[in-house]
């Protein structure tokens, strides 16, 4: 497995988006292109990556990509996806930010208008079809909870990274995610423990999973909490401790990927 | 408006379930029957109410209720719903816990099997059709984020109660919820501020909404955090400060309901 396609998942509020953003940044240090996909219609991955609301609003959600690709390639939607991404003809769906290529699944809809099934189906097809070079990666920030799993949105990723905090509810969600990700045929399921304040909390998470499943821990950071009212949410993922932790997680992921 | 039908909503991790459980308990002090509906397939409302995993697993999800009601009434699904709930013939879908009648929307599904559209549609129809007496109430704990709003699951409730914590992301979600709930024709949209640690945080939330929109605040409680690793999650909603706060919120809701 040389292909890095990661979905970041977990219970609402555990810090998925902050962890995903820091992981994306850490991969952007070693990889030429990191596709950062916001798979949550209640989105804030862009902000966490330091992409402004205006900039992220300018790009079209990937659900609208199908027709465009068809019109370029004149054939099936996905077979020629990578060439067209490379020749910048679908730049309206991709916001470039250094080595990061940000995409988002869908827009906020009108209340009572419809579900996000179409968006999830398209995203699944897109991520499955992406052929990655060795220096490319895909990291998706999934919606809270488990519906993206029952829908199979992350089918086609190689690694499901489940973020947990030291609470029984978040561990229970992670255990559901593990089971459902296995149903999807996702080869590898790993855990990151977030918001750790004590050894007891760290041990609680370690004991809840199999040996080797927990790739790393991130300490609770009061700074991130304090700054969460500020416009500049990017400060959370720019936190040096967090980035350092995610570099270690990246190396573990790449080590396993190279070895298998 | 004498009919109390409330949906509790907000960004993942803000404390929706804890707030919903405490509100349900406070209504159970003054109302004969409080229908407590877990509208999140990644569910933990039962635990927060002190209903064990085994007990909640024994009852069937309401999505399976349709055929049963039809077989009892011999006609349309919803017109005769209340009588049948009252005569206990659909007890397999309702767990009675004091004045609380707990129901859950759906089960955890197999990964990649399907979405929760059917469950959401049924729940919407169920809640809209429920005719309540003055001493009855419905309180639904919704899934994280906004898809239950784009789906219109809460259409038919009278009050959308949005839980926020002092973070820009949670306020942005609440502003989306407000807009989408208005699209659904929900008459009343109110806010509860949770996890407050300072006057600055309280003011941040107050300033983010219209005067009168914020019904109350709940202080950050380290006890709830500390105990979140324990099996007995019910302790969170049993916290006396929280219950006291929700009693005040209840009185404001009933005051407004009586006056309109």
């Amino acid at each position: 497995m040389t292909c890095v396609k990661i979905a970041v998942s977990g219970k609402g509020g555990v810090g998925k988006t902050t962890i995903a953003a820091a992981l994306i940044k850490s991969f952007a240090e070693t990889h030429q292109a990191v596709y950062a996909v916001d798979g949550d219609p209640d989105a804030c991955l862009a902000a966490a990556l330091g992409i402004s609301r205006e900039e992220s609003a300018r790009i079209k959600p990937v659900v609208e990509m199908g027709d465009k690709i068809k019109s370029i390639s004149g054939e099936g939607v996905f077979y020629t996806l990578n060439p067209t991404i490379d020749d910048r003809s679908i730049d309206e769906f991709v916001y470039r930010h250094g080595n990061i290529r940000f995409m988002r699944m869908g827009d906020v809809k009108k209340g009572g208008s419809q579900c996000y099934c179409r968006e999830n189906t398209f995203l699944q097809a897109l991520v499955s079809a992406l052929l990655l070079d060795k220096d490319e990666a895909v990291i998706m920030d999934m919606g809270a909870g488990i519906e993206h799993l029952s829908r199979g949105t992350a089918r086609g990723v190689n690694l499901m990274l489940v973020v947990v905090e030291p609470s029984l509810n978040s561990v229970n969600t992670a255990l559901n995610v593990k089971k459902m990700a296995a149903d999807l045929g996702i080869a590898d399921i790993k855990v990151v423990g977030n918001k750790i304040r004590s050894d007891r909390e760290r041990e609680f998470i370690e004991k809840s999973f199999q040996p080797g499943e927990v790739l790393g821990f991130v300490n609770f950071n009061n700074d991130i909490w304090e700054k969460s009212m500020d416009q500049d949410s990017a400060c959370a993922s720019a936190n040096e401790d967090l980035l350092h932790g995610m570099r270690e997680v990246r190396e573990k992921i790449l080590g396993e990927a190279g070895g298998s």
Side-chain angles (χ1 to χ4, degrees), chain A:
Chain A
M1 185 178 87
T2 53
C3 170
V4 178
K5 293 183 184 178
I6 303 170
V8 181
S9 169
K11 188 157 185 73
V14 294
K16 271 184 304 299
T17 301
T18 303
I19 296 285
L23 193 65
I24 287 162
K25 286 181 177 183
S26 79
F27 267 91
E29 294 171 349
T30 53
H31 285 59
Q32 282 296 314
V34 183
Y35 296 95
V37 186
D38 194 333
D40 185 356
D42 185 25
C44 49
L45 181 63
L49 289 170
I51 300 170
S52 75
R53 199 175 252 267
E54 293 70 33
E55 287 168 322
S56 76
R58 267 214 314 273
I59 65 161
K60 290 186 183 169
V62 290
V63 68
E64 294 174 22
M65 204 187 264
D67 293 340
K68 176 80 182 183
I69 294 169
K70 210 167 174 179
S71 77
I72 295 168
S73 68
E75 46 182 309
V77 171
F78 295 111
Y79 301 106
T80 56
L81 184 61
N82 274 64
T84 61
I85 281 188
D86 288 344
D87 72 10
R88 313 193 70 139
S89 58
I90 56 164
D91 263 8
E92 56 194 319
F93 304 101
V94 181
Y95 182 83
R96 287 164 194 254
H97 187 70
N99 287 350
I100 298 170
R101 298 178 184 192
F102 174 79
M103 300 191 271
R104 60 200 182 88
M105 182 179 74
D107 275 321
V108 173
K109 295 179 195 282
K110 203 170 145 64
S113 58
Q114 56 187 186
C115 57
Y116 283 87
C117 286
R118 190 170 147 255
E119 280 81 353
N120 278 274
T121 301
F122 190 88
L123 187 55
Q124 187 271 316
L126 176 67
V127 171
S128 295
L130 269 176
L131 300 170
L132 297 182
D133 281 337
K134 260 200 145 169
D135 60 353
E136 295 181 328
V138 174
I139 300 175
M140 296 205 286
D141 181 26
M142 308 307 292
I146 57 171
E147 187 164 5
H148 67 86
L149 287 146
S150 77
R151 276 171 163 153
T153 315
R155 181 180 278 136
V157 306
N158 308 111
L159 169 64
M160 175 67 69
L161 193 65
V162 196
V163 182
V164 297
E165 63 182 15
S167 78
L168 195 65
N169 286 332
S170 102
V171 166
N172 283 339
T173 296
L175 295 174
N176 280 336
V177 168
K178 265 181 66 175
K179 201 168 154 299
M180 296 171 88
D183 291 341
L184 290 180
I186 294 174
D188 209 4
I189 301 157
K190 291 287 190 291
V191 173
V192 169
N194 193 23
K195 304 189 198 173
I196 305 295
R197 302 188 307 173
S198 68
D199 286 346
R200 182 173 159 254
E201 294 185 345
R202 182 185 290 251
E203 282 156 21
F204 168 77
I205 289 175
E206 248 163 9
K207 277 194 313 195
S208 303
F209 299 94
Q210 302 297 316
E213 273 187 339
V214 183
L215 286 192
F217 290 97
V218 177
N219 289 331
F220 179 80
N221 189 305
N222 204 50
D223 256 22
I224 293 179
W225 183 302
E226 290 291 344
K227 287 179 182 152
S228 61
M229 293 185 288
D230 300 341
Q231 283 295 337
D232 179 19
S233 315
C235 54
S237 68
N239 179 281
E240 196 43 50
D241 283 349
L242 177 58
L243 263 177
H244 179 72
M246 287 309 113
R247 283 183 197 118
E248 289 186 359
V249 167
R250 178 196 67 204
E251 290 312 303
K252 285 187 189 167
I253 291 171
L254 292 175
E256 297 212 356
S260 66

